Amino acid sequence: MNEQETSTAMMDLVRKRIASSIEVKQQLLGNAKLHEQMVRVALEITKSIPLGGKVFFFGNGGSAADAQHLAAEFTGRYLKERRPLPALALSANTSSVTAIGNDYGFDLVFARPLEALGKEGDVAIGITTSGNSPNVVQALKVAKAKSIFAVALAGAGRGAVCDFADCTIHIPSKETPRIQECHILTGHIICEIVEELLS
């Protein structure tokens, strides 16, 4: 392809990806069950924090970045000027992740910190596009055992996280990038509701 043909083909790719992202978000817009689940998670957080609870976020790869992003929205701010809200991204401590991964196995890199730091009444949010990430599943098992409200952000289809999450928010897509885009949208909506109610 010459330069003009390459440019045209890439412009077409841009349009297709934007359209694909909009299509999944249109499905989110029309899904009242997902709206109810987002509100439910936000309300659990707003019950937890005034009682001394905190929110734990965890995931792998891009989902680890989303976990850090959302934890930062709580401890910093989202849209409003307000007090910091207690949240932690369990993937952010590289010494902990690598030590636990080395000594106990990668499946426990989130479970062990959650076991150490989490308590009844906290909220744990595991982010996994497949719904089957073993370390997210193990952490949700710990959450369940400790009476921590367990949330999974996943993609389409039933994953292993469903067995241990009190609430699973399924993004209606099997494409990892589209799921990740909607996970951060979901997280932002939850942040905004919490901020509205706790400001």
Side-chain angles (χ1 to χ4, degrees):
M1 285 192 292
N2 63 34
E3 188 175 337
Q4 181 58 46
E5 290 170 332
T6 299
S7 178
T8 300
M10 293 307 100
M11 293 286 281
D12 188 46
L13 176 73
V14 168
R15 285 189 291 273
K16 283 179 180 176
R17 294 301 171 262
I18 293 171
S20 176
S21 186
I22 290 169
E23 183 183 343
V24 179
K25 290 182 175 75
Q26 288 283 7
Q27 291 180 58
L28 289 185
L29 183 61
N31 191 325
K33 182 183 176 185
L34 284 177
H35 307 167
E36 289 168 10
Q37 289 174 314
M38 291 179 201
V39 171
R40 181 186 178 199
V41 171
L43 292 178
E44 287 291 335
I45 293 170
T46 60
K47 283 194 295 186
S48 172
I49 289 175
L51 297 174
K54 53 197 165 298
V55 187
F56 297 94
F57 293 96
F58 45 93
N60 299 291
S63 298
D66 289 345
Q68 287 182 241
H69 178 153
L70 294 172
E73 303 287 20
F74 277 75
T75 57
R77 67 174 179 190
Y78 179 60
L79 289 173
K80 285 187 168 184
E81 195 60 51
R82 41 85 179 158
R83 68 185 175 94
L85 302 173
L88 291 167
L90 296 181
S91 57
N93 185 335
T94 54
S95 295
S96 173
V97 169
T98 55
I100 293 168
N102 184 64
D103 295 346
Y104 297 97
F106 194 64
D107 288 3
L108 298 181
V109 295
F110 305 136
R112 285 186 69 85
L114 189 60
E115 192 171 347
L117 301 170
K119 67 181 190 318
E120 182 175 351
D122 288 338
V123 177
I125 300 178
I127 309 171
T128 164
T129 56
S130 70
N132 291 306
S133 302
N135 53 10
V136 173
V137 172
Q138 291 299 323
L140 293 174
K141 282 185 188 178
V142 167
K144 198 101 173 147
K146 297 192 77 167
S147 298
I148 294 168
F149 186 75
V151 179
L153 302 186
R158 193 182 192 289
V161 291
C162 296
D163 294 330
F164 305 101
D166 297 300
C167 178
T168 303
I169 296 176
H170 292 283
I171 301 304
S173 176
K174 293 185 177 178
E175 290 185 42
T176 296
R178 305 294 82 81
I179 297 166
Q180 289 174 327
E181 289 158 7
C182 290
H183 278 171
I184 205 65
L185 173 61
T186 299
H188 277 166
I189 292 167
I190 291 167
C191 285
E192 184 165 359
I193 295 169
V194 170
E195 198 168 70
E196 282 291 320
L197 295 175
L198 293 183
S199 292

